Amino acid sequence: MADTGNGSIRKITPAALVTTFAGGSRRSGNDDRIGMAATFGEPKGLAIDASDNIYITDERNHTVRKITPAASTTTLAGKLETSGYADGPGEDARFDLPWDIAVDPNGNVYVADNDNNDIRRISPDD
């Protein structure tokens, strides 16, 4: 789950054990690191693909982030604290308060780009 207020991604087991998977420093940022060393602005939406990668909309940073099963966080698309509307790969893409996210069986990532009133697609080839 995205724990927006604590800037973290949390895992809840079937036995109701809650652990922090990534982030959690309560320090806002956009650090692409491993586990709790990663930082987020405001993680909101979360989706998981067939390979157990986690995709997160980081609303305040205007970015889409990816966390591997080994807890390595990277920025998939968008540029830190740079809002706007632009298609393109990686840092060339621009979002304005991305809110929610989904992944289809083919690996396409769909982003609800809130203030642009649009659904954006990131293909696995981008």
Side-chain angles (χ1 to χ4, degrees):
M1 70 177 265
D3 185 351
T4 302
N6 288 313
S8 62
I9 305 304
R10 312 289 295 272
K11 178 181 177 181
I12 304 172
T13 69
L17 175 65
V18 179
T19 57
T20 301
F21 188 69
S25 65
R26 287 188 156 181
R27 180 175 55 93
S28 182
N30 195 42
D31 294 321
D32 287 340
R33 302 219 174 147
I34 296 174
M36 293 175 60
T39 58
F40 299 90
E42 266 186 23
K44 290 282 185 177
L46 184 143
I48 301 173
D49 71 11
S51 299
D52 290 332
N53 294 299
I54 302 169
Y55 297 86
I56 302 105
T57 54
D58 195 350
E59 183 188 33
R60 190 169 19 164
N61 283 325
H62 307 287
T63 58
V64 175
R65 313 285 294 281
K66 177 181 176 181
I67 306 173
T68 68
S72 178
T73 300
T74 57
T75 301
L76 180 66
K79 185 173 180 180
L80 175 62
E81 297 178 354
T82 306
S83 66
Y85 185 93
D87 291 335
E91 203 173 81
D92 292 340
R94 295 288 181 272
F95 300 92
D96 195 353
L97 302 175
W99 191 262
D100 211 353
I101 196 162
V103 181
D104 73 16
N106 296 320
N108 292 295
V109 177
Y110 297 91
V111 180
D113 194 359
N114 194 47
D115 276 13
N116 282 319
N117 298 312
D118 207 356
I119 303 296
R120 311 282 296 283
R121 181 177 62 91
I122 304 168
S123 74
D125 301 327
D126 289 344

